[in-house]
C-alpha cells in the first residue's frame, strides 16, 4: 500500500505539535476508566493467546505503549511522525519506537499477537479503512487481536490549529458498524465493542472495537 496524498501533511502537523501534544495529553488515560478497561481486556486476550508482541500503531509520544508495557504486554510503538517518535524515545527509553506507516508496516507476516490503533485512523477516509485493516491482519498471527479506538459519528472536519500550533489535518468521525464491517472485510471478526459518551473535552461519542483474526 502506498501513502495517500494527505499523509505528508499529517506527518508535518504532528511533527509540529509533538512536544505540546505529549504535555497536554499527560494524565488523560488515567482519568478514563472505560478506556483503560478496553486496554486491559485487550492485554488479557493477547496474553491468553500466547503473549506475542503488540504493535501500537500511531503511538504518538508513547503513553499508551507504556501503559501496555505496564500491564505485562510486550509492546512497541510505530508512528508516522519522527518528532513524535523522538519524544516517545526520550520519555520511555526502555521501550522500542520506530518511524513508519501503518499502511505499510516493516513487520513480517503473521508474527504479532496484537495490533492497537488508538485513534490512529482519525485521519483515514472511511473508504480507505479496509486497506489499512488488511495490513493489520497481515502482521497478526492466527488468533491475534486488534483493538481500534476512534471517534464515533459521521462526517469530516478540517483542523488548521491544534495543540497551540498551525496544522493541516482532516479528522473523520466514523460509524462503529462501518468500522466493524471494514475490519471484517480484512478478516478480523468483532469480539466486543464499547461506545461511551463524550468526556468534557471530546466532541462526540468514543468507540472501541476489539477484533480477532481466525486461527
Amino acid at each position: 500500500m502506498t501513502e495517500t496524498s494527505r499523509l505528508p501533511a499529517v506527518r508535518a502537523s504532528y511533527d509540529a505539535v509533538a512536544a505540546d501534544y505529549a504535555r497536554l495529553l499527560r494524565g488523560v488515560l488515567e482519568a478514563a476508566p472505560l478506556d483503560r478497561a478496553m486496554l486491559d481486556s485487550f492485554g488479557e486476550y493477547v496474553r491468553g493467546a500466547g503473549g506475542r508482541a503488540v504493535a501500537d500503531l500511531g503511538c504518538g509520544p508513547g503513553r499508551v505503549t507504556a501503559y501496555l508495557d505496564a500491564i505485562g504486554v510486550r509492546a512497541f510503538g510505530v508512528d508516522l511522525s519522527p518528532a513524535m517518535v523522538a519524544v516517545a524515545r526520550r520519555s520511555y527509553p526502555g521501550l522500542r519506537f520506530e518511524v513508519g506507516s501503518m499502511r505499510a508496516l516493516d513487520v513480517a507476516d503473521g508474527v504479532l499477537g496484537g495490533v492497537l490503533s488508538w485513534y490512529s485512523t482519525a485521519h483515514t477516509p472511511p473508504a480507505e479503512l479496509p486497506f489499512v485493516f488488511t495490513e493489520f491482519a497481515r502482521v497478526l498471527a492466527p488468533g491475534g487481536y486488534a483493538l481500534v479506538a476512534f471517534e464515533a459519528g459521521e462526517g469530516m472536519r478540517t483542523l488548521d490549529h491544534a495543540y497551540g500550533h498551525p496544522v493541516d489535518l482532516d479528522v473523520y468521525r466514523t460509524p462503529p458498524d462501518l468500522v466493524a464491517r471494514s475490519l471484517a472485510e480484512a478478516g478480523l471478526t468483532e469480539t466486543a465493542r464499547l461506545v461511551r459518551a463524550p468526556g468534557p473535552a471530546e466532541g462526540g461519542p468514543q468507540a472501541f472495537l476489539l477484533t480477532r483474526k481466525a486461527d
Side-chain angles (χ1 to χ4, degrees):
M1 287 177 285
T2 58
E3 292 190 343
T4 67
S5 60
R6 292 293 294 154
L7 287 190
V10 173
R11 181 188 294 111
S13 295
Y14 281 102
D15 279 346
V17 306
D20 287 318
Y21 180 100
R23 176 179 58 83
L24 291 167
L25 269 67
R26 190 176 297 123
V28 168
L29 190 57
E30 289 75 6
L34 290 174
D35 300 20
R36 295 197 313 275
M38 290 302 295
L39 288 169
D40 292 344
S41 297
F42 171 64
E44 186 170 345
Y45 275 110
V46 169
R47 292 193 303 271
R52 290 175 182 252
V54 168
D56 178 9
L57 304 180
C59 66
R63 62 193 179 93
V64 183
T65 319
Y67 183 86
L68 291 175
D69 177 73
I71 63 171
V73 175
R74 294 192 297 125
F76 67 96
V78 179
D79 201 90
L80 188 66
S81 161
M84 283 288 193
V85 169
V87 171
R89 287 172 174 168
R90 289 195 302 271
S91 300
Y92 308 103
L95 300 179
R96 176 162 63 100
F97 298 96
E98 303 171 355
V99 177
S101 171
M102 64 182 179
R103 295 169 176 269
L105 295 165
D106 186 17
V107 177
D109 294 356
V111 298
L112 298 181
V115 167
L116 175 66
S117 172
W118 199 254
Y119 295 95
S120 55
T121 59
H123 311 300
T124 302
E128 297 181 18
L129 288 175
F131 303 102
V132 174
F133 294 153
T134 294
E135 184 70 348
F136 291 9
R138 180 187 70 78
V139 299
L140 278 174
Y145 290 87
L147 175 61
V148 180
F150 56 99
E151 191 174 5
E154 293 188 67
M156 185 270 286
R157 65 191 188 279
T158 298
L159 295 180
D160 57 15
H161 196 272
Y163 308 106
H165 298 268
V167 296
D168 181 12
L169 295 171
D170 294 337
V171 182
Y172 294 88
R173 292 176 176 158
T174 317
D177 285 344
L178 186 154
V179 177
R181 285 196 302 271
S182 297
L183 286 159
E185 288 173 17
L188 301 172
T189 302
E190 181 176 342
T191 298
R193 76 169 67 182
L194 167 69
V195 180
R196 65 162 175 81
E202 296 169 337
Q206 309 296 301
F208 307 82
L209 283 172
L210 178 65
T211 63
R212 183 179 184 273
K213 182 176 177 178
D215 294 323

